[in-house]
Amino acid sequence: MTTTSTPAVPTADWVEPAAMPADPYPTYRRLLDESPVAWVPSLGRYLVTSFAACRAVEEDQETFSANVSGGAATLARALGARPMLRKDDPEHAGERRAVNPVLRPKTLRARWEPVFERNARTHLEVLRQRGPDDADLDRDYAGPVAAQNLIDLLGLKGAGVADMQRWSHAFIAGTGNLHDDPEIWRRCDAARSEVDALLDELVPHYRAHPDGTITSALVHGGLPLPDVAANVKLTISGGMNEPQHVVTGAVWALSRHPDQRDRVLADPALWPAVFEETVRWLSPIGMYPRETTRPVVLQGVPLPAGAPIGVVVAAANRDATVFERPDAFDIARPRQPHLGFGSGVHLCAGHWAARMSVGEIAVPLLHADLPGLRTDPRRPEAWHGWVFRGLTALPVSWDA
């Protein structure tokens, strides 16, 4: 009589979440080398770090559901209802279909490119007025540009840059509030009340006067009001971080690789490569959750039904089996897909808007109008997070 044994589940009990905001990449490298699918007790979930495994998860939404229990509960609590990001098809597809026309490349080029350029030029003047001894790229440019672009895309008439930044920070904190911190919920609830009050005014307006904004598209997409509101708040949550952090990340990376900065300044056709390499190398969205609907074996590791999973795309984007010299920033590397915007049916709906607003406009404009733009070592920079990661302070200088 022969018996088969169940493979052992790799356990990464050495992972220290408190150390990851400073620099998560040493942790990712060890996970990739030792156990690309591993149970992490300190996080209470399996972390999936290899490119192949992350792609496999996204290609099988019947097995790896976006409707996760823990994370979905805090997200729904933060936003007031479950948005499309935490739904599988066909529910997800129906809501996604409503906003897709607004975010197609042709529509973005015709309607939104001038808006993105106007917003970038407006805040470039704010940055310039700060002067090369006091300017902070995140505070004075990247954050405000990302916020104003989002206000315009959503059609949130009456909202200001400070409102958008406050709302986004509050919703993101609420989404991650697994420990039920009452102060986080207080800020999140206040933000939700403000956005809901604004939508109470705007939804009737868009019913009568449709336009090309995301909120108008959701209103006319047949969604009930709670779903319209949840998806507007979802866009507020996620639509600021990636473009904001790619602006600062690209400038930070080019400042540390002056040879590559010189190359792109001599050949502006390379700016899209700067954008893609920044998203791969610094991955503003580091991880997102999934949950198994049935027992499954993922890259040789058995997972039970209901297993909480962290899809660590920031690690996958530095997988040495896919990317040559993965820890190097290299705008000349061969063009190949990365997972900075996710993949599969949940590929970020705003990825073309980010490529245009940041890769074609916000970052090139900075370098064209501020000769010698560079980070300023006289003043401290600051990084934050690993689930969402980026520079929260980036002092810059230029040749006055």
Side-chain angles (χ1 to χ4, degrees), residues 69-337:
S69 53
T74 55
L75 185 66
R77 166 74 172 82
L79 305 185
R82 192 162 51 95
M84 68 176 84
L85 188 66
R86 291 294 176 264
K87 296 179 181 179
D88 300 315
D89 288 343
E91 273 187 295
H92 164 267
E95 297 183 20
R96 176 71 172 261
R97 196 177 300 118
V99 301
N100 280 342
V102 180
L103 298 170
R104 288 177 182 146
K106 186 176 180 179
T107 304
L108 290 166
R109 189 72 64 194
R111 170 164 185 161
W112 295 107
E113 185 177 19
V115 175
F116 296 154
E117 182 167 356
R118 178 199 68 202
N119 293 340
R121 290 193 178 279
T122 295
H123 291 286
L124 178 60
E125 287 310 306
V126 175
L127 185 75
R128 196 196 311 272
Q129 288 167 19
R130 283 281 187 177
D133 295 321
D134 187 46
D136 185 291
L137 192 65
D138 184 73
R139 177 194 67 203
D140 302 324
Y141 184 77
V145 169
Q148 190 59 58
N149 285 345
L150 199 54
I151 290 168
D152 293 332
L153 273 170
L154 281 165
L156 295 184
K157 304 174 189 293
V161 163
D163 298 320
M164 180 60 69
Q165 291 178 309
R166 185 178 71 257
W167 296 337
S168 182
H169 295 157
F171 291 147
I172 287 172
T175 298
N177 193 20
L178 297 175
H179 299 293
D180 272 337
D181 184 321
E183 177 57 23
I184 289 177
W185 286 133
R186 185 194 66 76
R187 295 197 304 270
C188 188
D189 291 345
R192 190 174 70 246
S193 295
E194 291 178 37
V195 174
D196 285 340
L198 181 58
L199 289 174
D200 285 343
E201 300 176 13
L202 291 177
V203 167
H205 168 79
Y206 284 127
R207 282 202 182 106
H209 306 284
D211 64 8
T213 63
I214 291 174
T215 301
S216 176
L218 289 168
V219 168
H220 289 273
L223 278 64
L225 181 58
D227 288 344
V228 171
N231 283 303
V232 167
K233 285 174 273 192
L234 171 69
T235 308
I236 291 172
S237 303
M240 263 197 58
N241 281 279
E242 191 144 29
Q244 177 178 355
H245 292 328
V246 177
V247 170
T248 53
V251 172
W252 185 87
L254 290 175
S255 187
R256 278 152 183 76
H257 300 83
D259 56 330
Q260 298 188 55
R261 181 181 59 201
D262 292 345
R263 196 182 316 158
V264 73
L265 290 177
D267 182 5
L270 293 173
W271 281 118
V274 172
F275 176 86
E276 299 297 341
E277 181 66 349
T278 301
V279 175
R280 182 202 70 83
W281 193 51
L282 296 177
S283 298
I285 297 176
M287 184 193 79
Y288 50 82
R290 291 292 183 264
E291 186 173 292
T292 57
T293 60
R294 62 179 180 85
V296 65
V297 176
L298 180 63
Q299 287 207 319
V301 176
L303 304 176
I309 292 173
V311 183
V312 192
V313 292
N317 281 338
R318 295 201 186 186
D319 187 336
T321 67
V322 177
F323 302 99
E324 186 177 352
R325 298 185 307 114
D327 294 323
F329 177 82
D330 182 6
I331 63 173
R333 72 173 57 251
R335 186 175 179 179
Q336 60 191 116

Side-chain angles (χ1 to χ4, degrees), residues 20-100:
M20 292 174 72
D23 183 0
Y25 286 100
T27 297
Y28 297 160
R29 175 56 50 210
R30 184 173 171 185
L31 286 168
L32 282 164
D33 290 345
E34 296 180 1
S35 45
V37 179
W39 171 251
V40 180
S42 58
L43 294 171
R45 66 180 63 235
Y46 296 85
L47 289 190
V48 176
T49 51
S50 73
F51 193 95
C54 289
R55 283 289 293 269
V57 167
E58 280 304 328
E59 288 172 358
D60 184 3
Q61 61 175 323
E62 291 185 2
T63 302
F64 301 98
S65 175
N67 184 17
V68 299
S69 53
T74 55
L75 185 66
R77 166 74 172 82
L79 305 185
R82 192 162 51 95
M84 68 176 84
L85 188 66
R86 291 294 176 264
K87 296 179 181 179
D88 300 315
D89 288 343
E91 273 187 295
H92 164 267
E95 297 183 20
R96 176 71 172 261
R97 196 177 300 118
V99 301
N100 280 342

